[in-house]
Amino acid sequence: MQNFVFRNPTEIVFGRGTIAEAGKRVPAQAPVLLLYGGGSIKRNGVYEQVKATLKNHRVVEFGGIEVNPLYETCLKAVDVVKTSQAGFILAAGGGSVLDAAKFIAAAARFAGPDSWEILRSHGVVIQSALPLGAVLTLPATGSESNGNAVISREATREKLALSSKHVFPVFSVLDPETTFSLPRKQVRNGIVDAFVHVMEQYMTYPAAAPLQDRFAESILQTLAEWGPTTLAEPNHYEARATFMWSATMALNTLIGCGVPQDWSTHMIGHELTAFYGLDHAETLAIVLPGLWKHQREPKKAKLEQYGQRVWNVSTADDAIARTEDFFHSLGMPTRFEAYHINPAEAAEKVRTRFAERKTVLGEHRDIGPDAVASILAAR
Ligand code: NZQ
Ligand code: ZN
């Protein structure tokens, strides 16, 4: 097991009717910026509940955060924070709104001349941020309980991630009933995203971390067991609660303590969203099986362990096949063909970009631009 430091400062408030708890946790001295997306919270009752819990606060609203939130839009929100002198950001929505809140919180306190530096440095330059809280309505990203955010820049078609201890939410409210209104596609996306988050912290090589392995496998098994009901029965509270807690646990940094990690699938996937606009989870479902086939030998021991413990199969190839079957059972395609994208063209675009950036991925740092291109060309 590798050395590690574990600190997750986010207070989780979980369960039915818990949005009412949010207001008590938001300081009342300064205005609060209420941040939201394209309007789903106004159609499912979340907006009214948030306004009710903030009835004793001065509230400034900023709506219209996009899916794959744009840097350009976030900068407008930073101006609103500055002119209103907001002292807290409350994000209500999915990962996109939460991620935007984190970037805005950091950019509002950033002293440098160019806020893009926050993303170019992947968050290293962040020295402080406005405090923020969240009302999560879409289980998927784990953004409600981590210090990560992913922001896209329209002008340059870039999508970059930041990570900083300064942008963990102070609290996150997780009411599974808020997810009842989710479109089927977003539930499918969320299950796949959470599943792949576990994999990025698990599918490497044995590292004498049996507890972390069992944590990871238990989340995978829970998603596999409950995913179908979660998808089929939108109002099944226990299924939605299980899904929501699984997605949080998948990326709240616990299961990644002391183990090697391989975020290649996400790094490649972000490029596919940047170039083609695919949903985040759609990119992961294409890349993951291809990456595993390419890395079958270095990942063989863990692929076999995963196959045996999660799917009751004995070979690495069967483990890969069962994973693709699982994605398909959720209605998630695993090939470019489903989106009419030419694999060879996608491979070239990503190869060129990774070559420019000198990107090298993988737990053994053995996945360079050419390897990425051959992974994508085979999808
Ligand atoms: O914008 P609104 O109107 O709110 O609608 C959203 C959006 O259209 C809708 N939605 C959310 N909750 C709903 C709802 N519709 C009905 N009922 C509800 N309860 O769902 C759509 C998708 O929302 P979005 O927030 O974009 O989805 P998700 O949570 O999957 O977030 C995706 C973003 O998170 C990033 C991705 O790259 C992507 O930009 N990620 C963030 C991570 C993190 N911070 O740790 C890790 C992930 O790997 C991921 O990269
Ligand atoms: Zn993800």
Side-chain angles (χ1 to χ4, degrees), residues 125-331:
V125 299
I126 299 173
Q127 286 177 352
S128 78
L130 274 190
L132 62 111
V135 173
L136 182 73
T137 65
L138 200 179
T141 61
S143 191
E144 65 276 13
S145 188
N146 67 38
N148 307 333
V150 193
I151 302 292
S152 298
R153 189 170 192 170
E154 193 169 36
T156 52
R157 289 199 161 212
E158 286 169 283
K159 185 175 188 192
L160 295 182
L162 68 81
S163 187
S164 166
K165 66 177 182 184
H166 299 292
V167 298
F168 274 76
V170 178
F171 68 85
S172 284
V173 173
L174 276 58
D175 179 346
E177 287 189 344
T178 65
T179 73
F180 290 179
S181 59
L182 279 169
R184 194 180 165 90
K185 185 183 176 197
Q186 296 302 337
V187 178
R188 173 204 75 169
N189 284 356
I191 297 168
V192 170
D193 194 19
F195 198 88
V196 178
H197 291 158
V198 176
M199 289 303 183
E200 307 277 47
Q201 302 164 84
Y202 169 87
M203 193 54 75
T204 55
Y205 53 85
L211 180 63
Q212 292 88 324
D213 280 1
R214 294 286 188 189
F215 279 157
E217 289 151 1
S218 67
I219 299 171
L220 298 172
Q221 283 170 319
T222 305
L223 290 168
E225 212 169 280
W226 285 85
T229 311
T230 307
L231 200 60
E233 298 179 42
N235 294 343
H236 193 311
Y237 181 84
E238 298 305 339
R240 289 291 160 108
T242 298
F243 169 36
M244 203 168 206
W245 189 226
S246 298
T248 301
M249 291 303 292
L251 196 47
N252 67 358
T253 74
L254 176 70
I255 68 170
C257 288
V259 295
Q261 304 191 13
D262 173 14
W263 287 88
S264 300
T265 297
H266 270 70
M267 292 302 119
I268 301 168
H270 289 336
E271 298 307 321
L272 298 177
T273 297
F275 283 124
Y276 297 106
L278 296 186
D279 288 354
H280 172 61
E282 291 173 340
T283 69
L284 306 177
I286 295 171
V287 177
L288 184 81
L291 182 104
W292 284 356
K293 285 178 191 166
H294 191 271
Q295 299 297 102
R296 189 192 280 100
E297 284 314 309
K299 291 188 188 292
K300 192 163 178 233
K302 284 306 275 289
L303 279 166
E304 288 176 355
Q305 178 179 319
Y306 156 66
Q308 283 154 12
R309 293 185 181 181
V310 176
W311 299 114
N312 206 15
V313 297
S314 54
T315 68
D317 284 330
D318 285 345
I320 298 171
R322 290 299 292 268
T323 307
E324 280 205 71
D325 290 347
F326 174 55
F327 292 168
H328 295 157
S329 77
L330 301 171

Side-chain angles (χ1 to χ4, degrees), residues 11-26:
E11 181 187 23
I12 300 289
V13 184
F14 192 98
R16 280 193 179 101
T18 46
I19 295 176
E21 294 292 312
K24 299 174 198 165
R25 292 167 167 78
V26 179

Side-chain angles (χ1 to χ4, degrees), residues 33-43 60-81 89-105 137-138 143 149-152 186:
L33 181 80
L34 171 57
L35 194 74
Y36 56 92
S40 70
I41 65 163
K42 294 203 168 160
R43 294 185 291 274
V60 181
E61 294 188 20
F62 190 99
I65 297 296
E66 308 84 359
V67 170
N68 305 310
L70 290 178
Y71 174 71
E72 288 86 348
T73 306
C74 290
L75 290 186
K76 292 181 190 156
V78 172
D79 286 341
V80 174
V81 167
I89 303 177
L90 184 61
S96 291
V97 176
L98 273 58
D99 284 7
K102 292 174 181 178
F103 173 75
I104 294 161
T137 65
L138 200 179
S143 191
V150 193
I151 302 292
S152 298
Q186 296 302 337

